[in-house]
Amino acid sequence: MCDVESEPEPAPAAAAADCEEAPGDVGTTRLPGLSPDGWPIYPSVTERYFTTYVTSNHQALHVHSNGICLLGLAPSHPLLAPGAARITGVAFRDHDAKNLLANEVRGKRKSGAVFVLPRDLVASVTTEAGGDPLPLWACARANVIEVNRRLIEEPELLGSAG
């Protein structure tokens, strides 16, 4: 039998260094930066809750964690380049069974939604420069729940953040 009592070993110094917080941190949450006038700068809703994918044809597909997707133009799209022709019209697909303007969605399971494939035309964009309309594709297999009808009356919204 051993009558010697052993004392617990002290924690190593490296473990104590891991517990120190960097300036501006509260636990594991990073505080927002401040604007020049002192107000906090928070990320936008799109930056916070959506994962953005940019396609090869310069369209942005924003995917929410619940599966809802938003389709728009990527910042690299030629229509958004400085000096590009002004957008004068947006025409949604309405010529066949996939008429997006006559889309009436009902209920919890969104019955009545139009099913589109990645290479299905969603809209055509015309510019003041004339020429052929630029196509906007679906970019994903999805059900179209709603289209932004304000784009028909105000096509310049396609090139803005709001």
Side-chain angles (χ1 to χ4, degrees):
M1 298 250 257
C2 183
D3 292 337
V4 179
E5 294 181 357
S6 61
E7 296 182 29
E9 295 182 25
D18 291 341
C19 296
E20 295 177 16
E21 295 176 357
D25 280 353
V26 177
T28 58
T29 305
R30 186 103 189 139
L31 294 176
L34 296 177
S35 67
D37 57 353
W39 289 96
I41 301 172
Y42 293 102
S44 69
V45 172
T46 307
E47 293 169 341
R48 216 178 315 168
Y49 299 115
F50 289 85
T51 303
T52 301
Y53 300 96
V54 176
T55 64
S56 61
N57 58 347
H58 304 284
Q59 287 181 234
L61 186 66
H62 306 285
V63 182
H64 194 276
S65 59
N66 65 7
I68 290 180
C69 299
L70 298 176
L71 182 64
L73 298 179
S76 61
H77 198 281
L79 288 174
L80 303 180
R86 191 175 62 85
I87 298 172
T88 58
V90 176
F92 288 101
R93 181 180 187 160
D94 64 353
H95 61 275
D96 58 1
K98 294 185 179 183
N99 184 348
L100 299 179
L101 293 176
N103 194 12
E104 292 188 22
V105 180
R106 298 168 304 282
K108 181 178 179 180
R109 295 183 187 254
K110 309 301 178 218
S111 63
V114 175
F115 182 74
V116 292
L117 296 171
R119 293 297 296 166
D120 283 347
L121 180 71
V122 173
S124 297
V125 179
T126 55
T127 62
E128 64 184 5
D132 291 333
L134 297 168
L136 297 179
W137 307 102
C139 301
R141 290 173 43 99
N143 287 320
V144 177
I145 304 298
E146 183 178 17
V147 295
N148 188 353
R149 293 181 185 272
R150 284 182 55 199
L151 290 174
I152 297 170
E153 289 88 30
E154 303 172 58
E156 63 276 359
L157 289 176
L158 189 60
S160 69

